[in-house]
Amino acid sequence: MSMLVVEIHDATDLMPKDGHGSASPFVEVNFNGQRHRTQTKHKDLNPQWNEKLLFNIDGDLPNKTIDVVVYNDRSNSDDNHTRKNFLGRVRISGVSVPMSESDAQIQRCPLDKKDLFSPQPPPMSSKPPGFEMRRDFAQATPPGPATAVMRMQMPPRQNPEFALVETRPPVAARLRYRGDKTSSTYDLVEQMHYLYVSVVKARDLPVMDITGSVDPYVEVKLGNYKGVTKHLEKNQNPIWKQIFAFSKERLQSNLLEVTVKDKDFAKDDFVGRVHFDLLEVPLRVPPDSPLAPQWYRLEDKHGMKTKGEVMLAVWMGTQADESFPEAWHSDAHNISHVNLTNTRSKVYFSPKLYYLRIHVIEAQDLLASDKGRALSNTHVKVQLGNQLRVTRPTQVRMGGPVWKEELMFVVSEPFEDFIMVTVEDRVGPGKDEILGRVILPVREATQRMETSKFPDPRWFNLHKPSVAAEEETEKKKEKFSSKILMMLCLEAGYHVLDESTHFSSDLQPSSKHLRKANIGILELGILSARNLLPMKSKEGRTTDAYCVAKYGNKWVRTRTLLDTLSPRWNEQYTWEVYDPCTVITIGVFDNAHTNGSKEGARDQRIGKVRIRLSTLETDRIYTHYYPLLVLQPNGLKKHGELQLALRFTCMAWVNMVTQYGKPLLPKMHYVNPIPVKHIDMLRHQAQQIVAMRLARAEPPLRLENVEYMLDVDYHMWSLRRSKANFQRIMSVLSGLSAVCRWLDDICYWKNPITTCLVHVLFLMLICYPELILPTIFLYLFVIGIWNYRFRPRHPPHMDARLSQAEFAHPDELDEEFDSFPTSKPADIVRMRYDRLRSVAGRVQTVVGDLASQLERAQAILSWRDPRATAIFIIFSLIWAVFIYVTPFQVVALLVGLFWLRHPRFRSKMPSVPVNFFKRLPSKSDMLL
């Protein structure tokens, strides 16, 4: 914790106070509710103390005041009413405190006399960090000036390298440019021009080989950049349908050369070519129709027409062109056709997830293989893919075992999986006998909406697992069969959680029929990055960077820019927004698959940014450089900065405002909540399904991408996160302690004017009790309006100091990055260590939730969510007026009756104030 050091040196020419021409002075320093004093110097008007007083800094020091008072000690006096006399005081603002002891200087401060109506001394003017202060403590009465000396220091503040940097890139939206149609579609990114060359096909190519065939391919060359199509064996009429894109910024020639060649073992043969002058290439602006390709006659090396034609289309366009994502880019000129797909930009969608509820009720007619053995402990195993659930064991009684236990699974569309239900009996330690098994397709489960009842349970026949037993069962099917009673249903009214609830990007139910209309649009421009670290320095290269952004069920991936530490993507993407209280996540990775998939190769993490939509003002364009921070076993590292442009546009203001009074999650989460013990397990299963499905795309969004974007290990134990959550709680509670200190100051007349005003207000409210509630709401309204000036001007970002990551201890990081289970050799240590981490992880989550609640209360009037604060202060004003015109007794009666209403009139759904409070932003999405 940061410490404040106040060093008291001496004082001169103090006022005599003991009636004998002398005084016994001591100094008392009060800071942030902490009070310390020096020793008493008996009968000394020029005392020297040379004492250091230490104080804990809890909160923001620049907003606090250091109160230094010199007293005369009268402990030996006969006057029992007053043990000390006031000699003088000085108040110093926290903004003037230097950051280190080496920067502190002695300053002498004049003492202000104590007067009921004298104005408070102005705080010291703000100085840059590192200045030294020296002030005199002097009472403004004879016999002369008195001096005291002090020096203060505090630890360094947060590293400015980790701060947000606002930028003003020349994008169309910021310049208010109204040009072509592209500028209105891609107005959050800098417009980049490309030369597009579409190689469609060729015909009537001449024979080049002795075998009477040709193996053609096309080489597109522009200066030093050269793109090549795949070659087609023995084909005089080949079809390629490939598009090449050359960045206009890097054009090194005004002549485009398209050459058809014949693939050969020794040296490729020249077939023919076509030239284009770039000054004559047309400009295409979407949404204009694509440029129609044309047939061009091939020429030989001397410019003479030869046999064969090639169909081409050549035009100048921007990144808004529909050919842009699939094109071969000059930035990837040294990538083979096989690996080219790993560098392209793509859009992905997460699979639609459902919860599958299986209610295992009972079984009948179970028989052991040994007919003489009675069934003792019978249980049911249900397996769905890699998900396995087991009921508790129960003894078999008359009629069969009864479980009545619910098991929850996560499934995805299309429902192609099968459910394997196995009934087993415990024969001995670690040995179970299978009594019967049934395999059911997931698609047979009944889909249940939020208002419908559970489907009726069904009896299913159990079969022996061996082939012989199955044949025997088929023969005796009409006579005998073991059965199990179960209820299966697909829950379409829930939202399947695959992200942490602290920064979820989607809160919609599984069923599209239960989803609400969208309220707006989120537009993201991924502009560029700078100062990236070289991730491939061992290979003699720098970094092959690409970005992944995730919001809702839509994932986007930018193209990979090769071998550069300052990539410029300038790609823009759009999402529909259904709830403003959601978070978008953008991650930056280094591509490890540009030269083929090496065994065990993983794309390295460069950094990540999270932004909560509710903290953004509507229709405002945010353009900033975000620091890319990654926590590693050797400490916090900055891997560069990512430049983003953001805009949140609301199209349904009424719907958005009403969202603040609605529950965060769908109705089923409150009417029939899922047990807390199952939530983490189900979230893990959902993340695995999403990762597996996205890994099957082309190019794949790999496991390391999904795990990093979904924060798979966020709920694991971390001493660093626990300390961060504790400090969040203490930071919020410091506000309450400040209120208590303010009340204490009023009671002790620290500020006479304020105390007199409070007395007047108190007497007015006593005489007119009907003004109490209107005054409170009006006061809240005024505070909200006052705090509007201090509202955040930038979107939230990863806070290294808040995350306790900037000065984390190496031993704490070693524990945080340890494997789970731990790699410690001793079995007992492993068991105890893992148990401790598991329990501590839950405690950490609870502490984080408590911190989030307190931060939401703090955010009501802080304008972190401008719409929520506006709603609250307007509501406060309306209530102030309403309560003023309504008799207080009526209001109190209605509130009391509503609070004490019968449970029959209470709903399981949370109230509007509770929903509003839960939607307020916390600082959880700012944690690393």
Side-chain angles (χ1 to χ4, degrees), residues 116-233:
L116 181 63
F117 298 103
S118 63
Q120 297 296 335
M124 290 179 61
S125 60
S126 176
K127 302 285 182 76
F131 92 102
E132 301 175 348
M133 68 170 72
R134 178 168 177 162
R135 293 259 181 121
D136 292 341
F137 289 92
Q139 192 168 355
T141 54
T147 58
V149 182
M150 70 180 207
R151 185 178 72 229
M152 294 178 293
Q153 66 182 25
M154 69 169 292
R157 300 176 183 176
Q158 182 175 353
N159 192 343
E161 184 183 3
F162 301 150
L164 214 62
V165 179
E166 187 171 7
T167 62
R168 302 191 66 85
V171 298
R174 199 174 264 287
L175 299 175
R176 296 293 188 267
Y177 175 68
R178 301 297 180 188
D180 53 43
K181 298 178 181 178
T182 306
S183 64
S184 61
T185 305
Y186 283 73
D187 61 343
L188 292 183
V189 294
E190 297 181 40
Q191 196 175 83
M192 301 177 68
H193 286 85
Y194 292 86
L195 174 66
Y196 290 95
V197 181
S198 175
V199 180
V200 183
K201 56 184 177 180
R203 67 185 179 189
D204 300 332
L205 296 180
V207 174
M208 305 298 295
D209 297 337
I210 302 176
T211 58
S213 63
V214 62
D215 304 329
Y217 70 91
V218 175
E219 178 184 275
V220 182
K221 188 176 182 181
L222 184 64
N224 292 331
Y225 292 106
K226 181 174 64 175
V228 180
T229 69
K230 55 187 177 182
H231 78 278
L232 302 177
E233 295 183 359

Side-chain angles (χ1 to χ4, degrees), residues 464-483:
K464 295 294 183 180
S466 64
V467 177
E470 289 182 2
E471 293 178 353
E472 182 182 354
T473 303
E474 291 295 331
K475 295 179 182 178
K476 300 180 180 180
K477 189 173 182 180
E478 298 180 357
K479 298 181 180 179
F480 177 82
S481 177
S482 301
K483 297 179 181 297

Side-chain angles (χ1 to χ4, degrees), residues 506-527:
D506 185 18
L507 304 170
Q508 295 279 68
S510 300
S511 174
K512 63 180 181 180
H513 302 291
L514 300 177
R515 299 181 179 180
K516 307 297 189 296
N518 66 316
I519 61 170
I521 292 177
L522 172 66
E523 296 168 278
L524 170 67
I526 303 177
L527 300 176

